[in-house]
Amino acid sequence: MAEVAVIVESLWELDEDQLAAQIGSHAQAIEDDAAGLGTRGIDPGSLDSIDVGFATKGAIDLKFLEGGQRLFDRANPLVYDLMCKPLGNDANTQKILDEAIGENYTKAAGMLAPALISGLGLAPAIATLVATLIVKKIANYTATGICETWQQNLPKPAS
């Protein structure tokens, strides 16, 4: 978890579009790798493959941005269910979650990433990027009532 927290701290400066584009880029690289089309070297799903200097490399590729946003929109409600629904009406547990996110955003994302790896089966790189984007979106609103705020900001189902 310590390694994830360090990476999240570096990613925290990226905006939401840059994070979504990184998610899309990693998802595409993992797909290419699985099809035997990937480049040899670092596993695109590993934490080592995350490029924290991504923002300085020019314009965002819309293909990666759209793909990353689609993946995020699919994962976000699942993560919400994983993290908030088991809490039920336990106000004390929700208070602990609220305090963890309110205390240190990067630490909260670093704690969320392993849950995404084990709970949703996401690759470590994608889980770290998704966790960072989720906490970044939640942090923009409030440090209290995290699950309520999160639920209000889930993507709306397509009609």
Side-chain angles (χ1 to χ4, degrees):
M1 185 183 84
E3 184 181 1
V4 171
V6 170
I7 294 170
V8 168
E9 193 167 330
S10 298
L11 292 171
W12 197 253
E13 298 305 315
L14 300 180
D15 68 26
E16 292 178 9
D17 284 347
Q18 291 165 327
L19 287 168
Q22 275 228 20
I23 292 167
S25 174
H26 280 271
Q28 183 65 54
I30 290 168
E31 186 178 310
D32 289 349
D33 198 51
L37 304 172
T39 58
R40 305 246 184 254
I42 296 176
D43 173 7
S46 74
L47 291 176
D48 293 334
S49 69
I50 294 177
D51 181 5
V52 295
F54 183 79
T56 61
K57 294 197 174 169
I60 294 174
D61 186 328
L62 288 178
K63 174 180 82 170
F64 293 144
L65 175 61
E66 291 168 359
Q69 192 60 53
R70 278 192 308 273
L71 194 151
F72 178 79
D73 287 346
R74 282 194 315 265
N76 192 15
L78 299 172
V79 178
Y80 170 80
D81 288 346
L82 180 70
M83 299 305 295
C84 291
K85 294 245 176 128
L87 300 177
N89 294 323
D90 185 352
N92 189 46
T93 307
Q94 287 189 15
K95 182 180 175 190
I96 292 168
L97 180 61
D98 291 345
E99 288 172 0
I101 291 177
E103 181 182 308
N104 184 328
Y105 298 141
T106 57
K107 181 179 177 184
M111 293 169 55
L112 179 57
L116 302 182
I117 294 166
S118 63
L120 298 181
L122 295 178
I126 292 178
T128 301
L129 292 162
V130 168
T132 302
L133 186 52
I134 286 171
V135 173
K136 194 169 191 80
K137 284 181 176 286
I138 292 170
N140 287 338
Y141 296 98
T142 182
T144 60
I146 295 302
C147 287
E148 292 85 5
T149 301
W150 191 349
Q151 183 180 33
Q152 292 170 6
N153 290 287
L154 290 173
K156 305 298 180 234
S159 300

